[in-house]
Amino acid sequence: MTKKHPVNEKSKQEQLEQFKTDDRNQALTTNQGLKLSEDEFSLKAGERGPTLMEDFHFREKMTHFDHERIPERIVHARGFAAHGEFELYDSLSEYTKAKFLQNPSVKTPVFVRFSTVAGSKGSAETVRDARGFATKFYTEEGNYDLVGNNIPVFFIQDAIKFPDLIHAVKPEPHNEMPQAASAHDTFWDFVANNQESAHMVMWSMSDRAIPRSLRMMEGFGVHTFRLVNAEGKAHFVKFHWKPVLGTHSLVWDEAQTISGKDPDFHRRDLWESIENGDYPEYELGIQIIDEEDEFKFDFDILDPTKLWPEEDIPVKLVGKMTLNRNVDNVFAETEQVAFHPGHVVPGIDFSNDPLLQGRLFSYTDTQLIRLGGPNFHEIPINRPVCPFHNNQRDGYGRQTINKGPVSYHRNSLAANTPAPVPESEGGYAHYQEKVEGRKVRSRSESFKDHFSQATLFWNSMSDTEKEHIISAFSFELGKVKSKSVQQQVVDMFANVSTVLAKQVAQAIGATPPPGEDAPVTKSSPALSQEQTIKKPNTRKVAVIVANDFSGDLPQVLNSLKQQGIQPEIVSTTLQNVKGTDGSELEVQHTFLTSDSVLFDAVYVVGSASADEKFRKEALTFAQEAFEHFKPIGATDEGVKWLKAAGLDSSPGVVTGETTRFTDEFIEAISAHRHWNRHVI
Ligand code: HDE
């Protein structure tokens, strides 16, 4: 007998609701429900006497506290997450039978966790690193996890090298330094001696590794997967997330300052955007290659150090994900969520990418230690929204109370249930790829070109992006102590570009490589962030205002807000500031509590009655924003201050009369950064 699984109509949100608890206005009890009369003093033999073993309340409270922490993720420890939903544009039935990819009217609940890779759980968020971009789709056929990064390729080609890579990038074991940084000897020693890393290193030395916001970065599934339709026909696929606000980055000096000024910069940005109703949105994109075309490319589509150039294989946008709800409890949800590339649904299958194959083992294995046993799927955030039944039993933290004596298959006592479901009725069947070969430990010849796509990436960068890459290499290798490692890296990257290698060699005192770069034959414009969407929405502007500001200011601020820009007032104290016409503005930040690096633009208004100290503070903001190529606006007294400091009349610096000023300032903010500014 085949019993169909009824679809659970409960949304993920409703499902989570039953686990939520509000302790306010409740009696204080032990975990056994015993009401407590006292919670401040342990039980003692006399007021000044020893504490008694009998104090079960003290022991329960302390034991629970002693066990509050769980092991952090070995990688991607520092992360932040949000709930949302995914909507499809058009049915993808041509390619896949996955139910959540059939019907555009279905909203699939999602949970997305973003992360840095190398740093520990408390590390700063704006470090140079790849970002994890892991999405759990709670579909009616079970959970589907797309566990990706914001960089489309990876450092290594075979999962067996992952422990080596991570040992090399993590703080060095003899002194546990540096935290959350690849700028040290062991990482670069690994790179030079594992040259398959060349392509990903180019990405991680680029602006992609210092995103402006988690809302403004792309996501990639990295590996080649398979989509399989109802007729059993398969296509190779790569997955993309495209942020609706475009892909934008910080500059390195700014990223480093933010690490100190606000180590929570990215989570704060995500949290506040969702609280403000500015929901982050990403479009899902797919690139498709026919099975017959597997060998038509000048790279192996199973090699995770290769991307599929978008100009050759276009990205089809198939749906949109909106993150619209913050978590209620970071530990219960963000920390306990367990992703796994092997969590798939019918219609989504794997390829033989050797990195993916290894990941299929690693993710369950890691949860066993991190979440303390095999029942992590029962934790509310990990539960599917559809029912699940099998003969797995017991283990640490088991919550399900399975009834009846039968927990084995095949059986007659329970009419041989729970029963497997045929493929035609939604049972998962692996794609029957024909596989043949000898058992070998080796790498395919087709995986051995490590430099062509690294060069493609370099050739696709704008001049500014190239400068940033050169500076990043110079910084990172400048921190490396071994002259030999420095030289090995310079020699290695001469295979990517001699221009790059020569400039880095110059900066770090290494021997430059001989030769010149070959003429550029191919570039991929989609790889440059200069080509991205540029919008003013959700950009934060520090508006520097003193008492006696001019009456036009509220009108300017309203025009900015109408464009989705977020002006925030900065002044000397948190007292309201008053205008000459009697209007008042609430101050959100002081010069002490904020810094220009925490904003996308600076608008200096000041006032004639502001003192010298105020003028200096305002100019510090403006100067720093200038050096980070950010838009700067000034009206009223601010114009005079900027002129006197020589900060006016540069690209992206807008000064002037109210009406024209507002339009031009909005335009300057949309541009994100003004690279053609002359900064010494
Ligand atoms: Fe992961 N990775 N990884 N990884 N990974 C983990 O799983 C691993 C790789 C990625 O927010 C761990 O639950 C191996 C590529 C993300 O919870 C662990 C290999 C990509 C996250 C693990 C890789 C990723 C992880 C640690 C080489 C991009 C965070 C904690 C074959 C496509 C998910 C955990 C979250 C986390 C193993 C390579 C993405 C140890 C063995 C390539 C976004 O299982």
Side-chain angles (χ1 to χ4, degrees), residues 73 76 113 147-149 159 162 339 355 359 362-363 366-367:
R73 289 163 170 82
H76 298 265
R113 183 173 181 274
V147 196
N149 278 347
F162 193 62
F339 291 96
L355 196 69
R359 291 180 75 201
S362 176
Y363 286 67
T366 210
Q367 311 310 344

Side-chain angles (χ1 to χ4, degrees), residues 72-77 79-80 112-117 131-135 146-151 153-163 165-166 220-223 225 304 334-335 337-341 353-367 370:
E72 66 174 35
R73 289 163 170 82
I74 170 69
V75 283
H76 298 265
F80 202 62
V112 179
R113 183 173 181 274
F114 301 103
S115 46
T116 54
V117 180
R131 298 297 185 283
F133 190 139
T135 308
L146 181 53
V147 196
N149 278 347
N150 76 329
I151 290 180
V153 290
F154 203 60
F155 290 109
I156 48 171
Q157 295 174 318
D158 190 313
I160 201 167
K161 290 169 78 79
F162 193 62
L165 164 71
I166 300 306
F220 303 90
V222 176
H223 312 283
F225 292 90
T334 312
E335 193 59 15
V337 67
F339 291 96
H340 181 11
D353 169 350
L355 196 69
L356 172 60
Q357 292 286 321
R359 291 180 75 201
L360 296 177
F361 164 75
S362 176
Y363 286 67
T364 306
D365 191 38
T366 210
Q367 311 310 344
R370 201 171 68 76

Side-chain angles (χ1 to χ4, degrees), residues 652-678:
V653 181
V654 183
T655 55
E657 296 307 313
T658 317
T659 23
R660 259 198 45 236
F661 166 79
T662 314
D663 291 346
E664 284 177 17
F665 192 37
I666 291 168
E667 223 171 274
I669 292 170
S670 309
H672 178 62
R673 299 290 160 116
H674 297 271
W675 304 120
N676 50 352
R677 181 181 292 168
H678 183 63

Side-chain angles (χ1 to χ4, degrees), residues 202 454-455 457-474 477 489-508 510-520:
M202 291 300 293
T455 304
F457 182 75
W458 171 255
N459 287 339
S460 307
M461 295 291 102
S462 68
D463 288 347
T464 305
E465 287 171 318
K466 283 184 178 166
E467 270 173 39
H468 292 173
I469 293 172
I470 293 165
S471 305
F473 269 99
S474 306
L477 290 168
V489 175
V490 166
D491 295 345
M492 169 178 169
F493 282 88
N495 293 306
V496 176
S497 160
T498 54
V499 173
L500 166 67
K502 279 178 183 161
Q503 297 214 35
V504 175
Q506 165 69 22
I508 63 169
T511 309
E516 300 293 328
D517 283 352
V520 176

